[in-house]
Amino acid sequence: MEYPLKKDDSVFNAAVPDDAYFAQIRACFGAHPVDLRSSDGTKSTDKCFASWSIDISNNIGGYGDYSVYLYSNNPDVVQPIRFSMSFAKIHEYAIKRYSLLSNVINVIEKKNAIFVEEQRLWRIGRSSDVVEQLQILLKENSTRIRDRDGYHYHFIIIVQ
């Protein structure tokens, strides 16, 4: 299944896809605040570091709930650069990505149903000898599911 939101930029409306911008938010607000590759999530040769985050929802105003100031190692860049994040936007981003799970579950369920039906139609050999029948079941278990998964261990114990 292809990831449909790979190039989506509809949540943060930034110069980069939402996934890259979310990575930038994580980096600025704690994951890598002293090793930032840019001020906006784009690829850059400049390095930046972030200040401590501040609550701007009531104090400073503007876009977002929290903000950091980014400082670049490039003296030609106007500094500091304000970088803000909004809980509402992060919530929208998370909901959009988590809603994909229902699609993934549907795809997995369909594939599983097809697999089960194919396996049901595939006949398992029979033998009147109990040990030989268990060996047939062990072989089928390895072929259908995987070696050492499913009932593999149980068949081995019983045969021994």
Side-chain angles (χ1 to χ4, degrees):
M1 182 176 163
E2 194 73 24
Y3 178 53
L5 300 175
K6 186 175 185 174
K7 295 182 180 180
D8 177 52
D9 63 356
S10 63
V11 175
F12 297 115
N13 299 314
V16 295
D18 285 344
D19 290 338
Y21 195 79
F22 182 74
Q24 182 72 5
I25 291 171
R26 284 185 59 243
C28 289
F29 286 90
H32 310 287
V34 294
D35 191 21
L36 302 171
R37 304 278 184 236
S38 72
S39 61
D40 61 359
T42 58
K43 300 286 183 194
S44 172
T45 56
D46 294 350
K47 298 275 188 174
C48 295
F49 70 91
S51 66
W52 290 98
S53 60
I54 55 173
D55 180 356
I56 61 170
S57 58
N58 296 326
N59 304 351
I60 301 172
Y63 165 79
D65 296 310
Y66 282 89
S67 182
V68 294
Y69 287 102
L70 303 177
Y71 300 90
S72 173
N73 67 346
N74 183 348
D76 297 330
V77 174
V78 177
Q79 299 193 40
I81 304 160
R82 186 169 166 189
F83 186 87
S84 301
M85 61 143 252
S86 161
F87 287 126
K89 290 292 184 180
I90 291 175
H91 183 257
E92 182 183 345
Y93 172 83
I95 293 297
K96 195 168 191 176
R97 266 94 190 132
Y98 281 122
S99 68
L100 288 178
L101 290 176
S102 61
N103 297 344
V104 172
I105 289 168
N106 289 338
V107 168
I108 290 170
E109 286 174 346
K110 285 178 186 175
K111 287 185 176 189
N112 185 57
I114 291 168
F115 174 79
V116 167
E117 186 58 30
E118 287 173 351
Q119 298 309 309
R120 259 183 8 93
L121 297 174
W122 188 359
R123 295 254 178 225
I124 297 175
R126 293 191 170 255
S127 173
S128 57
D129 180 25
V130 175
V131 174
E132 188 176 323
Q133 183 64 41
L134 286 169
Q135 289 172 339
I136 290 169
L137 292 173
L138 177 64
K139 181 178 177 263
E140 288 294 330
N141 183 80
S142 297
T143 303
R144 292 169 186 244
I145 298 174
R146 212 170 48 205
D147 204 16
R148 304 200 189 288
D149 283 340
Y151 293 101
H152 180 89
Y153 175 75
H154 301 291
F155 292 138
I156 293 293
I157 294 299
I158 294 170
V159 169
Q160 291 175 351

